[in-house]
Amino acid sequence: MSLDRVAADRGIAISSTRKHTSRWVILALQIFTFVFIVLVWEFGARLGYIDEFFFSKPTDIAALIYKWFATGFIWLHLGTTLLEAFLSFVIGTILGIIFGVALARIDLLCAVLDPYIRILNALPRVILAPIFLIWFGLGLTSKVALGISLTFFVVFFNTLQGVREVDNVILNNARMLQASDRQLMRYVYMPSAMSWILSSLHVSIGFALIGAVIGEYMGSTHGMGYLVAQAQGLFNTTGVFAGLIVTSTLVLAIDMGIIRLERYLLRWRPKH
C-alpha cells in the first residue's frame, strides 16, 4: 500500500472521528444548557430571586405534568389538539402543494391571483380565530380552518419556488426525450421541489399546532389551549407553563419525525 493511500485513509478516519466527536460534544452542550437553565430557575425561585407567582418552579411544573399523564387527565386534551393539528397540517400541506405547482406552471393564473395571494398572506391570520369561531362554532372545524390558514402559505410559497428552481438543462433534456407533462411532473418538477416542500414542513407543523392551540384558547371545551386558558383564568402559572411545555415537546417530537422522513425521501441526494 502506498504512502498516499495510507495518508488518505488516515485523513478519512480523522475526519470521521472529528465529526463523531463533534456530534457528541454538541449534544453534551445542549444538555448542559438545559440543565443550567432549569437549575438557575429552580434555585432562583427557592431563594426568592424569581417570583413563583409569575414563573412557578420547574419541580412544580414537572410534578403537574407527571400528574396529568399518570392520572390520564391529559390524554383527551392532547388527543384533541393532535387531531386538529394533524388535519390542519395535512390539508394545508396538500392545498399548498397543489396551488404552488399550479401557479408555478400556469403563468397567467399566477399573474391573476398574485395580488390576492399577497393580500391574504399579509393578513394577520391569528385574528381570523374569532371569525372562524362565529362561522364554524366551537367544534373541530374552526380550529382546523385556522390551522390551514397558517400552514397553507408556508407550503405554497416553498412549492412555488421549488418548481420554479428546476434546472433548465434537465428540463430541456427531458422535453427532448419527449417526456409527457405527467412524466415531467413526476421525474423533474417534484424531485426539484421536494427539498423545498420538506423544508417547509418543519415550520408548518408548528403553525398547525399554533392554530389548534389558539383556536382552543379562544373557545373550546377540550385541548391544550383549553387547559392553558383555564389555568390562566385561575392565575395558575404552573398549569400555563405545563401546558406550554407539553405542547412544545410534542412539536419537537413531530419535527424529529419529519427530519427522518426528509432523510429517507432525499436519500438520493449526494451527502456533503
Side-chain angles (χ1 to χ4, degrees):
M1 182 180 295
S2 64
L3 293 177
D4 292 339
R5 176 67 176 180
V6 173
D9 291 342
R10 184 179 179 183
I12 293 173
I14 293 174
S15 176
S16 177
T17 303
R18 287 178 178 174
K19 183 178 180 180
H20 182 75
T21 304
S22 176
R23 184 173 69 249
W24 286 107
V25 169
I26 292 174
L27 179 61
L29 290 174
Q30 289 173 340
I31 295 174
F32 172 79
T33 302
F34 172 77
V35 172
F36 177 77
I37 293 174
V38 170
L39 290 177
V40 170
W41 184 2
E42 178 69 25
F43 286 104
R46 289 182 180 274
L47 296 175
Y49 295 107
I50 297 176
D51 193 337
E52 292 187 36
F53 180 80
F54 294 104
F55 297 97
S56 186
K57 293 199 305 286
T59 50
D60 292 342
I61 296 171
L64 181 58
I65 293 175
Y66 174 79
K67 179 181 177 181
W68 281 354
F69 281 97
T71 60
F73 168 78
I74 199 174
W75 294 118
L76 175 61
H77 301 285
L78 195 58
T80 301
T81 302
L82 274 175
L83 177 61
E84 295 165 352
F86 174 77
L87 292 175
S88 303
F89 176 71
V90 172
I91 298 174
T93 299
I94 293 174
L95 292 177
I97 293 174
I98 291 174
F99 279 90
V101 171
L103 268 66
R105 296 290 309 279
I106 307 173
D107 293 334
L108 178 60
L109 182 63
C110 182
V112 171
L113 297 181
D114 181 69
Y116 303 102
I117 292 174
R118 292 183 183 276
I119 292 172
L120 292 174
N121 184 50
L123 182 69
R125 287 176 291 281
V126 174
I127 65 174
L128 294 175
I131 298 177
F132 288 143
L133 287 174
I134 295 173
W135 288 353
F136 304 115
L138 299 178
L140 177 73
T141 308
S142 59
K143 284 71 175 178
V144 173
L146 180 60
I148 291 173
S149 69
L150 292 171
T151 59
F152 168 79
F153 289 97
V154 178
V155 180
F156 167 76
F157 284 112
N158 276 270
T159 304
L160 181 69
Q161 189 65 29
V163 173
R164 287 178 172 177
E165 290 291 328
V166 173
D167 192 333
N168 287 328
V169 175
I170 298 176
L171 186 59
N172 292 332
N173 287 339
R175 286 172 175 167
M176 287 178 59
L177 296 173
Q178 299 182 347
S180 63
D181 289 339
R182 183 176 180 180
Q183 290 173 327
L184 287 175
M185 180 59 62
R186 179 177 179 182
Y187 297 108
V188 179
Y189 286 110
M190 290 311 297
S192 173
M194 186 59 66
S195 59
W196 290 80
I197 294 173
L198 291 174
S199 296
S200 70
L201 299 186
H202 297 284
V203 180
S204 61
I205 185 59
F207 280 176
L209 271 169
I210 289 173
V213 172
I214 290 177
E216 293 165 353
Y217 184 86
M218 297 295 295
S220 180
T221 57
H222 299 96
M224 298 305 300
Y226 168 78
L227 288 183
V228 173
Q230 289 294 104
Q232 180 191 15
L234 297 173
F235 298 99
N236 181 8
T237 310
T238 303
V240 173
F241 274 105
L244 295 177
I245 289 173
V246 170
T247 305
S248 301
T249 304
L250 183 63
V251 173
L252 180 61
I254 296 175
D255 187 67
M256 292 176 65
I258 293 176
I259 291 175
R260 290 183 177 273
L261 176 64
E262 182 179 7
R263 289 174 179 173
Y264 174 76
L265 294 177
L266 300 180
R267 62 188 184 279
W268 53 270
R269 293 194 308 181
K271 295 182 180 181
H272 300 287

